[in-house]
Amino acid sequence: MRKIGILGLVTVLALVLSSCGGGSSPPPPIATEPGLVGLDDSSDATAPLLTVTYTVPPSTIPVTVSILGDLASDGDIAFDPVLSSFTVTTGSTSVLFGIDSFNINLPEFRAFLTFPLDGVTGQPIVPGDAFIVSADVEVFVNLLDFASAVPTFLDLVQYPLGGLAAIDFDAVPLAILPVFDFISSDLGFLVPIDVTSLMQAAQLPPALVDFQLRFSRDMSVPPLAPSSPSAGAGRTGVAPPRAMEGIAPRQPATSKPLSQAEMAARRR
């Protein structure tokens, strides 16, 4: 089982408004909370899923494929600000992003998902010359504690060393989405995130072999309220449990990431 967790610090914003007259009291401080979100990967029915609709010119007939995430390639990177060290974890049952407020060193986590596009894991192929009509990634939220909303960055990245490494923690993204929130009503549901623009960027020549995503918490703002305008940015409504018709079962995960030579041999 894989889970993505989001952890945030407790932040308190005090708004003190002065008044020129009258007996009114200043408004009370506005308290915000840490956020912890888990995304389930206990079965194919709840695993991260990339769904892509594309055409291959000159044909205008749309083709839709669904690709499950690659367990062996997924992971997270934790940066310990006290020790100035990185810890890379792959193939585990959970991946995290955000600040671990339960650790006295307050490490920051960033999470990574990989969706192979060339069929190497037994999933459908997205041709390198395909024109992307739409794309979304579904994740199942099985945990959301402490916060009503957690602002999130989602980036398209590429691992320059073949497998996940410390360098990927803050590598320059190939493309980004506007900040969006994971919110309390997501708990217990599959949440689709619109990644059309990221998938279109992945198709720019030379087309990427893997669709690799990096999740990180927006550290510039505290957790947003459920009514925040960004709650709907870059996402659609909450989806019901998905049917598995037409989705290829996941193949057994590889025991280790592909080598650089193996990665270089893969072309779309």
Side-chain angles (χ1 to χ4, degrees):
M1 181 177 84
R2 282 200 311 273
K3 299 178 182 175
I4 300 175
I6 305 174
L7 302 98
L9 291 170
V10 175
T11 309
V12 177
L13 300 180
L15 301 180
V16 180
L17 302 179
S18 60
S19 175
C20 295
S24 61
S25 300
I30 298 176
T32 57
E33 305 163 303
L36 174 61
V37 178
L39 306 184
D40 193 6
D41 191 15
S42 59
S43 68
D44 285 358
T46 56
L49 180 73
L50 170 67
T51 299
V52 182
T53 298
Y54 65 87
T55 61
V56 180
S59 173
T60 59
I61 300 175
V63 177
T64 299
V65 296
S66 294
I67 301 171
L68 289 162
D70 180 28
L71 175 61
S73 299
D74 294 344
D76 57 43
I77 303 174
F79 172 68
D80 188 317
V82 176
L83 301 177
S84 295
S85 63
F86 293 91
T87 301
V88 180
T89 304
T90 58
S92 65
T93 58
S94 64
V95 292
L96 306 172
F97 73 91
I99 295 292
D100 184 358
S101 58
F102 298 103
N103 186 312
I104 59 174
N105 291 347
L106 300 179
E108 179 187 355
F109 287 81
R110 297 187 180 181
F112 298 79
L113 293 180
T114 295
F115 301 90
L117 302 175
D118 63 351
V120 70
T121 57
Q123 299 295 302
I125 292 172
V126 177
D129 58 349
F131 172 79
I132 304 303
V133 177
S134 65
D136 67 70
V137 166
E138 282 186 330
V139 290
F140 186 87
V141 179
N142 66 357
L143 176 66
L144 200 156
D145 282 340
F146 309 124
S148 56
V150 178
T152 302
F153 283 138
L154 183 56
D155 306 329
L156 174 67
V157 295
Q158 184 179 26
Y159 307 158
L161 302 181
L164 188 63
I167 192 176
D168 301 310
F169 183 85
D170 57 0
V172 177
L174 303 178
I176 64 174
L177 283 185
V179 64
F180 64 92
D181 296 344
F182 281 99
I183 57 179
S184 56
S185 62
D186 293 334
L187 182 61
F189 291 93
L190 288 160
V191 177
I193 305 170
D194 186 349
V195 294
T196 303
S197 62
L198 300 186
M199 189 63 203
Q200 289 171 339
Q203 288 296 103
L204 295 176
L208 299 180
V209 171
D210 297 311
F211 187 64
Q212 294 174 318
L213 300 176
R214 178 178 62 199
F215 289 77
S216 60
R217 187 192 185 283
D218 180 0
M219 302 306 296
S220 65
V221 297
L224 303 175
S227 59
S228 167
S230 70
R235 73 193 305 176
T236 60
V238 175
R242 61 172 172 258
M244 296 302 294
E245 290 81 1
I247 300 177
R250 255 187 309 191
Q251 301 299 308
T254 56
S255 59
K256 60 181 180 180
L258 296 176
S259 68
Q260 290 182 261
E262 291 170 323
M263 292 290 293
R266 294 172 59 198
R267 293 289 183 270
R268 288 199 295 142

